[in-house]
Amino acid sequence: MKIGFLGAGSVGQTLATKLAANGHDVILGIRTVSPAELAKPRQNAQPLDHWSKTTTARIVTFAEAADHGEIIFNVTPGEHSLAAIAAAGAAPLSGKILIDVANPLDFLRGMPPSLYPALSNTTSVGEQIQAALPGTHVVKAFNTVGAPIMVNPGAISGPHDLFLSGNDAGAKEEVTAFARREFGWSTIHDLGDITGARAQEALLLFWIRIWASSGNPAFNLHIAR
Ligand SMILES: NC(=O)c1ccc[n+]([C@@H]2O[C@H](COP(=O)([O-])OP(=O)(O)OC[C@H]3O[C@@H](n4cnc5c(N)ncnc54)[C@H](OP(=O)(O)O)[C@@H]3O)[C@@H](O)[C@H]2O)c1
């Protein structure tokens, strides 16, 4: 399968490494492709020129990644996701599934972060991407777990859960099957239409408190009844 990424930070690199190892044709888009950009230090991730030597995944521009992918991941910071989508262009994303992993976390005043007001509470990154891309099936997913857990849920013992939302039932079924097949997820909760992204993104306020108080990001939530 051809898979495109908008973004090449720690989440993009982690997902892309796993999907390329699974045999997919994976490319990642960034703003500008140049030797200096490929060599630049990245927070919690490798410089792309180093990382590229460890994987078959390739680095291109946002527009090329959008054009390439049969399925697209948005793995950019929530406050910049609409800019990345605009750079990719609506046409190459039309008719495709876009899995939105972004969170609108504002770290400008340090820890713990807040959610950007313009992207939360009565709206969300997922909803704003869907509004910008009416011809694309946006599915919010994977944003409530750390990157290593996204691709390896078995690293946490016992049952734990993934959440998704989106307007298109068929797209959500495809993403559910993808998460099971590619990464081994089992319990996946459908939170309804794309307004469910508000709840998924708001969960990060809680997630970061658990991380800060425990010092360990390798955890997840489980809905028990
Ligand atoms: N870290 C986790 O474990 C985790 C878990 C769940 C969800 N998330 C969410 O996943 C997303 C990706 O996280 P990350 O840490 O991998 O991302 P990141 O390193 O902060 O950013 C990744 C990409 O965003 C692009 N970008 C930055 N500023 C931009 C701008 N102004 N316009 C367009 N593109 C811009 C960068 O492009 P260039 O390469 O051109 O600089 C880069 O490729 C975030 O929304 C985060 O909240 C993270």
Side-chain angles (χ1 to χ4, degrees), residues 24-45:
H24 297 291
D25 181 2
V26 179
I27 67 174
L28 292 82
I30 59 174
R31 282 170 283 185
T32 310
V33 181
S34 68
E37 282 297 314
L38 296 177
K40 83 177 180 188
R42 288 175 180 266
Q43 200 174 15
N44 304 320

Side-chain angles (χ1 to χ4, degrees), residues 45-69:
Q46 297 183 57
L48 293 170
D49 52 2
H50 282 215
W51 175 73
S52 296
K53 293 179 185 140
T54 68
T55 175
T56 57
R58 292 164 289 131
I59 307 295
V60 295
T61 63
F62 283 139
E64 289 170 277
D67 196 44
H68 170 86

